[in-house]
Amino acid sequence: MPANKKYLTTSSWQRFAKISAGIVGGYIISALLHIALAFWLPNPKMVLITSVYTLYMLWVAIIILSFLAKNGWKLWALYVAIILVFSVLIHFGKLYNPVN
């Protein structure tokens, strides 16, 4: 059964934005989340060991969720905001937990 045409994205730029946000932005978000957890949790080695598996599972979930968005550029804005939040968490994790 083919998809209903009214639910498909007609703009190629929107399609590109969703695909690139899912692949590139999703991977960056997944990696930064695990790095932030490594800085904030007491056992960073355990986080990095389990991140081998959970990073890709989270990345796939973010790729799937990116196709549910209506506007790819708003999705990119959301992903950039999340990336900045995780970057700030990593920065403060380095400042307040310098042992790691």
Side-chain angles (χ1 to χ4, degrees):
M1 179 177 209
N4 194 344
K5 298 288 185 193
K6 70 179 180 181
Y7 296 116
L8 296 177
T9 304
T10 57
S11 170
S12 60
W13 285 108
Q14 286 294 322
R15 191 175 314 130
F16 170 74
K18 288 179 187 180
I19 292 170
S20 64
I23 293 173
V24 176
Y27 186 78
I28 293 171
I29 288 172
S30 301
L32 288 178
L33 173 67
H34 285 87
I35 294 170
L37 286 174
F39 277 115
W40 283 94
L41 293 177
N43 194 354
K45 290 181 184 177
M46 195 59 96
V47 172
L48 293 177
I49 289 170
T50 59
S51 73
V52 172
Y53 304 107
T54 58
L55 186 134
Y56 292 109
M57 287 188 276
L58 181 63
W59 185 29
V60 168
I62 291 174
I63 289 173
I64 292 169
L65 288 175
S66 69
F67 288 105
L68 297 176
K70 292 186 183 217
N71 190 340
W73 303 114
K74 288 182 183 178
L75 183 67
W76 258 115
L78 175 68
Y79 283 3
V80 167
I82 292 171
I83 289 169
L84 290 175
V85 167
F86 284 149
S87 299
V88 168
L89 286 174
I90 291 169
H91 175 71
F92 285 118
K94 286 181 184 179
L95 287 179
Y96 293 120
N97 198 2
V99 177
N100 294 335

